[in-house]
Amino acid sequence: MSFVKQVSISFAEWYRICELPGANDTASSHFILQLHQNGLLKGDDLTDRFFQLLVELVVAHCLSTKVIYSGGLDSPQQLQPMSFLAIDVYAKLVFSILKILSVTIRFTLKAVDEKKF
């Protein structure tokens, strides 16, 4: 399976998680842990490529939602506004990753302070 397909499937899975009713921190954390275990959050070239492809997918999705409607011969064409839902879902992924990193950093700093390295 191509990397582009893997990223697309991962984003679709994240989208489903975001659609779950209520705040589902467990599912979000599990998903992010899977990304990490798959080597997508190591901060290397693969991570860069992963996020670059995500942005490309999100932008392509938004652009695909911009549809021209023709109201008939007498009325002008109308543009339906683009859907920015994919961008919202992407932002939620980035925010969730940063939230987990923040917790990790606070825990590490607390441990360093307690041990007085």
Side-chain angles (χ1 to χ4, degrees):
M1 177 182 332
S2 75
F3 188 63
V4 174
K5 183 75 171 171
Q6 287 176 312
V7 171
S8 181
I9 290 170
S10 291
F11 190 66
E13 182 181 341
W14 176 251
Y15 187 89
R16 284 190 293 278
I17 289 170
C18 291
E19 286 183 320
L20 294 173
N24 197 332
D25 287 340
T26 303
S28 296
S29 297
H30 180 71
F31 179 82
I32 293 168
L33 179 61
Q34 281 182 316
L35 291 179
H36 179 69
Q37 289 173 343
N38 291 336
L40 298 173
L41 300 179
K42 290 184 177 182
D44 57 5
D45 290 341
L46 189 62
T47 302
D48 292 346
R49 190 164 172 235
F50 173 70
F51 281 102
Q52 178 185 1
L53 287 172
L54 277 178
V55 169
E56 289 173 8
L57 287 169
V58 166
V59 169
H61 175 75
C62 289
L63 292 175
S64 73
T65 62
K66 185 170 124 177
V67 180
I68 297 175
Y69 285 104
S70 179
L73 296 175
D74 295 334
S75 62
Q77 292 182 342
Q78 296 178 338
L79 287 178
Q80 179 178 342
M82 278 192 271
S83 170
F84 295 101
L85 181 59
I87 292 174
D88 292 343
V89 171
Y90 172 78
K92 186 172 183 176
L93 174 62
V94 172
F95 177 76
S96 297
I97 291 168
L98 291 175
K99 190 165 87 172
I100 289 173
L101 287 174
S102 173
V103 169
T104 304
I105 290 169
R106 279 189 303 221
F107 176 77
T108 304
L109 289 174
K110 183 178 177 186
V112 167
D113 284 344
E114 289 174 356
K115 296 193 186 216
K116 304 284 185 204
F117 282 108

